[in-house]
Amino acid sequence: MHSIFSRFAVVRTGALLLSALLFSLSAHADYVWLERDGATAHAYLGELQPDRPAASAELLGDARAFMADNKSLATTMSDRHYTIANLREGGDLRFTAKRQSSNGGLLFYQAKAGREDTKPVNDLELVPDQAGGNTFRLYWKSKQVPADQINVYTSEGWTRSFKAAADGSVTITTPFPGRYVLEVTAKVNGTVELEGKKYDDVRHVATVSFVVGK
């Protein structure tokens, strides 16, 4: 499978200027998150909630999994998720994909499993100040941008939104064991052209998932 960005070449130069990003203050309708267990991981589309199945993986296009070295990993799709196998130890796993939204807009998903890496790799990425830490900063193409807030979802059904500090960082709390998914959505102003089609509504949805206390 090919990268949805062909390392960022599919979107016209200048269409995604740093100053053109507006960040949503509310939770996105859906997002992609990763669940990693040793050498295997799964990517799900939907919302992380107890006893609620994820949406169909068939809605995603141009899915790609990789780690910080940017080498594509073998990925297979079932009716409910993508499976990434033979993962090496150390470092965070990333998964990118795209789909059209119900209103005809374009959604770019940029998911990450783990909080070891302290430098961004994806276009839009939440990065911890230190490995395993609870303070995050939002980066767009390797430059820090204001996050306003981070939405947090857990496998236990506990959800919270955490506001940014004056320096743009956001510190979350992890009060109990379970899986945590951090999410932020950025809306691009202006029109973006992709594969010959123009989109007036383009959003990037970034997540970070990790397990606490297990």
Side-chain angles (χ1 to χ4, degrees), residues 146-182:
D148 289 338
Q149 74 178 32
I150 293 176
N151 302 306
V152 179
Y153 310 90
T154 71
S155 56
E156 304 302 314
W158 182 86
T159 64
R160 290 291 187 277
S161 294
F162 293 90
K163 296 289 187 179
D167 65 354
S169 66
V170 180
T171 300
I172 69 166
T173 58
T174 54
F176 52 80
R179 186 175 305 279
Y180 288 74
V181 175
L182 283 53

Coordinates of all heavy atoms in Angstrom, one line a residue, residues 146-182:
P146 N -0.5 25.7 18.5 CA -1.4 25.6 19.7 C -2.4 24.5 19.5 O -3.1 24.4 18.5 CB -2.0 27.0 19.7 CG -1.9 27.5 18.3 CD -0.6 27.0 17.7
A147 N -2.6 23.7 20.6 CA -3.5 22.6 20.5 C -4.9 23.0 21.1 O -5.9 22.4 20.8 CB -3.0 21.4 21.3
D148 N -4.9 24.1 21.9 CA -6.2 24.5 22.6 C -6.6 23.5 23.6 O -6.7 23.8 24.8 CB -7.3 24.8 21.6 CG -7.1 26.1 20.8 OD1 -6.3 26.9 21.3 OD2 -7.7 26.2 19.7
Q149 N -6.8 22.3 23.2 CA -7.2 21.2 24.1 C -7.0 19.8 23.5 O -6.8 19.7 22.2 CB -8.7 21.3 24.5 CG -9.7 20.9 23.5 CD -11.1 21.0 24.0 OE1 -11.4 21.8 24.8 NE2 -12.0 20.1 23.5
I150 N -6.9 18.8 24.3 CA -6.8 17.4 23.9 C -7.9 16.7 24.4 O -8.3 16.8 25.6 CB -5.4 16.8 24.3 CG1 -4.2 17.4 23.7 CG2 -5.5 15.3 24.1 CD1 -2.9 16.9 24.2
N151 N -8.6 15.9 23.6 CA -9.7 15.0 24.0 C -9.1 13.7 24.4 O -8.4 13.1 23.6 CB -10.8 14.9 22.9 CG -11.3 16.3 22.5 OD1 -11.8 17.0 23.4 ND2 -11.2 16.6 21.3
V152 N -9.5 13.1 25.5 CA -9.0 11.9 26.0 C -10.2 10.9 26.2 O -11.2 11.2 26.8 CB -8.3 12.0 27.4 CG1 -7.8 10.7 27.9 CG2 -7.1 13.0 27.2
Y153 N -10.0 9.7 25.6 CA -11.0 8.6 25.7 C -10.3 7.4 26.3 O -9.1 7.2 26.1 CB -11.5 8.3 24.3 CG -12.0 9.5 23.5 CD1 -11.2 10.2 22.7 CD2 -13.3 9.9 23.6 CE1 -11.6 11.3 22.0 CE2 -13.8 11.0 22.9 CZ -12.9 11.7 22.1 OH -13.3 12.8 21.4
T154 N -11.0 6.6 27.0 CA -10.4 5.4 27.7 C -11.3 4.2 27.4 O -12.5 4.3 27.1 CB -10.3 5.6 29.2 OG1 -11.6 5.6 29.8 CG2 -9.6 6.9 29.5
S155 N -10.6 3.0 27.6 CA -11.3 1.7 27.4 C -12.4 1.5 28.5 O -13.2 0.6 28.4 CB -10.3 0.6 27.5 OG -9.5 0.6 28.7
E156 N -12.3 2.3 29.6 CA -13.3 2.2 30.7 C -14.5 3.1 30.6 O -15.4 3.2 31.4 CB -12.6 2.4 32.0 CG -11.4 1.5 32.3 CD -11.7 0.1 32.3 OE1 -12.8 -0.3 32.9 OE2 -11.0 -0.7 31.6
G157 N -14.5 3.9 29.5 CA -15.6 4.8 29.2 C -15.4 6.2 29.8 O -16.3 7.1 29.7
W158 N -14.3 6.4 30.5 CA -14.0 7.7 31.1 C -13.4 8.7 30.0 O -12.5 8.3 29.3 CB -12.9 7.5 32.2 CG -12.5 8.8 33.0 CD1 -13.1 9.3 34.0 CD2 -11.3 9.5 32.7 NE1 -12.4 10.4 34.5 CE2 -11.3 10.5 33.7 CE3 -10.3 9.5 31.8 CZ2 -10.3 11.5 33.8 CZ3 -9.3 10.4 31.8 CH2 -9.3 11.4 32.8
T159 N -14.0 9.8 29.8 CA -13.6 10.8 28.8 C -13.4 12.2 29.5 O -14.1 12.5 30.4 CB -14.6 10.9 27.7 OG1 -15.8 11.5 28.2 CG2 -14.8 9.6 27.0
R160 N -12.4 12.9 29.0 CA -12.1 14.2 29.5 C -11.5 15.1 28.3 O -11.0 14.5 27.4 CB -11.1 14.2 30.6 CG -11.6 13.6 31.9 CD -12.7 14.5 32.6 NE -13.0 14.0 33.9 CZ -13.9 13.1 34.2 NH1 -14.5 12.5 33.1 NH2 -14.2 12.7 35.4
S161 N -11.6 16.4 28.5 CA -10.9 17.3 27.6 C -9.9 18.2 28.5 O -10.4 18.7 29.5 CB -11.9 18.2 26.8 OG -12.6 17.5 25.9
F162 N -8.7 18.2 28.0 CA -7.7 19.0 28.8 C -7.2 20.2 28.0 O -6.9 20.1 26.8 CB -6.5 18.1 29.1 CG -6.8 16.9 30.1 CD1 -7.2 15.7 29.6 CD2 -6.7 17.1 31.4 CE1 -7.5 14.7 30.4 CE2 -7.0 16.1 32.3 CZ -7.4 14.8 31.8
K163 N -7.2 21.4 28.7 CA -6.9 22.6 28.0 C -5.3 22.8 28.0 O -4.6 22.3 28.8 CB -7.5 23.8 28.8 CG -9.0 23.8 28.7 CD -9.5 24.1 27.3 CE -11.1 24.3 27.3 NZ -11.6 24.7 26.0
A164 N -4.9 23.6 27.0 CA -3.5 23.9 26.9 C -3.0 24.9 27.8 O -3.8 25.8 28.2 CB -3.2 24.4 25.4
A165 N -1.8 24.9 28.3 CA -1.1 25.9 29.1 C -0.7 27.0 28.2 O -0.8 27.0 27.0 CB 0.0 25.3 29.8
A166 N -0.2 28.1 28.9 CA 0.3 29.3 28.1 C 1.3 29.0 27.1 O 1.4 29.6 26.0 CB 0.8 30.3 29.1
D167 N 2.1 27.9 27.3 CA 3.2 27.6 26.3 C 2.7 26.6 25.3 O 3.5 26.2 24.4 CB 4.4 27.0 27.1 CG 4.1 25.7 27.7 OD1 2.9 25.3 27.8 OD2 5.1 25.1 28.3
G168 N 1.4 26.3 25.2 CA 0.9 25.5 24.2 C 0.9 24.0 24.5 O 0.3 23.2 23.8
S169 N 1.5 23.6 25.6 CA 1.5 22.2 26.0 C 0.2 21.8 26.7 O -0.5 22.7 27.3 CB 2.7 21.9 27.0 OG 2.5 22.6 28.2
V170 N -0.1 20.5 26.7 CA -1.3 20.0 27.4 C -0.9 18.9 28.3 O -0.3 17.9 27.8 CB -2.4 19.6 26.4 CG1 -3.6 19.1 27.1 CG2 -2.8 20.7 25.5
T171 N -1.2 19.0 29.6 CA -0.9 17.9 30.5 C -2.2 17.2 30.9 O -3.1 17.8 31.3 CB -0.2 18.4 31.8 OG1 1.0 19.1 31.4 CG2 0.1 17.3 32.7
I172 N -2.2 15.8 30.6 CA -3.3 15.0 31.0 C -3.1 14.3 32.3 O -2.0 14.2 32.8 CB -3.7 14.0 29.8 CG1 -2.6 13.0 29.7 CG2 -3.8 14.8 28.5 CD1 -2.9 11.8 28.9
T173 N -4.2 13.7 32.8 CA -4.1 12.8 33.9 C -4.5 11.4 33.5 O -5.3 11.2 32.6 CB -5.0 13.2 35.1 OG1 -6.3 13.3 34.6 CG2 -4.5 14.6 35.6
T174 N -3.9 10.4 34.1 CA -4.2 9.0 33.8 C -4.5 8.3 35.2 O -3.7 7.6 35.7 CB -3.0 8.3 33.1 OG1 -1.9 8.4 33.9 CG2 -2.8 8.9 31.7
P175 N -5.7 8.5 35.7 CA -6.0 8.1 37.1 C -6.3 6.6 37.3 O -6.3 6.2 38.5 CB -7.3 8.9 37.4 CG -8.0 9.1 36.1 CD -6.8 9.3 35.1
F176 N -6.4 5.8 36.3 CA -6.7 4.4 36.5 C -6.1 3.6 35.4 O -5.8 4.1 34.3 CB -8.2 4.2 36.6 CG -9.0 4.8 35.5 CD1 -9.1 4.1 34.3 CD2 -9.7 6.0 35.6 CE1 -9.8 4.6 33.2 CE2 -10.4 6.5 34.6 CZ -10.5 5.9 33.4
P177 N -6.0 2.3 35.6 CA -5.4 1.4 34.5 C -6.4 1.3 33.3 O -7.6 1.5 33.5 CB -5.3 0.1 35.2 CG -5.3 0.4 36.7 CD -6.2 1.6 36.8
G178 N -5.8 1.1 32.2 CA -6.6 0.9 31.0 C -6.0 1.5 29.7 O -4.8 2.1 29.8
R179 N -6.7 1.5 28.6 CA -6.2 2.1 27.4 C -6.6 3.5 27.3 O -7.8 3.8 27.5 CB -6.6 1.3 26.2 CG -6.0 1.7 24.8 CD -6.4 0.9 23.7 NE -6.1 -0.5 23.9 CZ -4.9 -1.0 23.8 NH1 -3.9 -0.3 23.4 NH2 -4.7 -2.3 24.0
Y180 N -5.7 4.4 26.9 CA -6.0 5.8 26.7 C -5.8 6.2 25.3 O -4.8 5.7 24.6 CB -5.1 6.7 27.6 CG -5.4 6.6 29.1 CD1 -5.1 5.5 29.8 CD2 -6.1 7.7 29.7 CE1 -5.4 5.5 31.2 CE2 -6.4 7.7 31.0 CZ -6.1 6.5 31.8 OH -6.4 6.5 33.1
V181 N -6.7 6.9 24.7 CA -6.6 7.5 23.4 C -6.7 9.0 23.4 O -7.7 9.5 23.9 CB -7.6 6.9 22.4 CG1 -7.5 7.6 21.0 CG2 -7.5 5.4 22.2
L182 N -5.7 9.7 23.0 CA -5.7 11.2 22.9 C -6.0 11.6 21.5 O -5.4 11.0 20.6 CB -4.3 11.7 23.4 CG -4.0 11.8 24.8 CD1 -4.1 10.4 25.5 CD2 -2.5 12.3 25.0

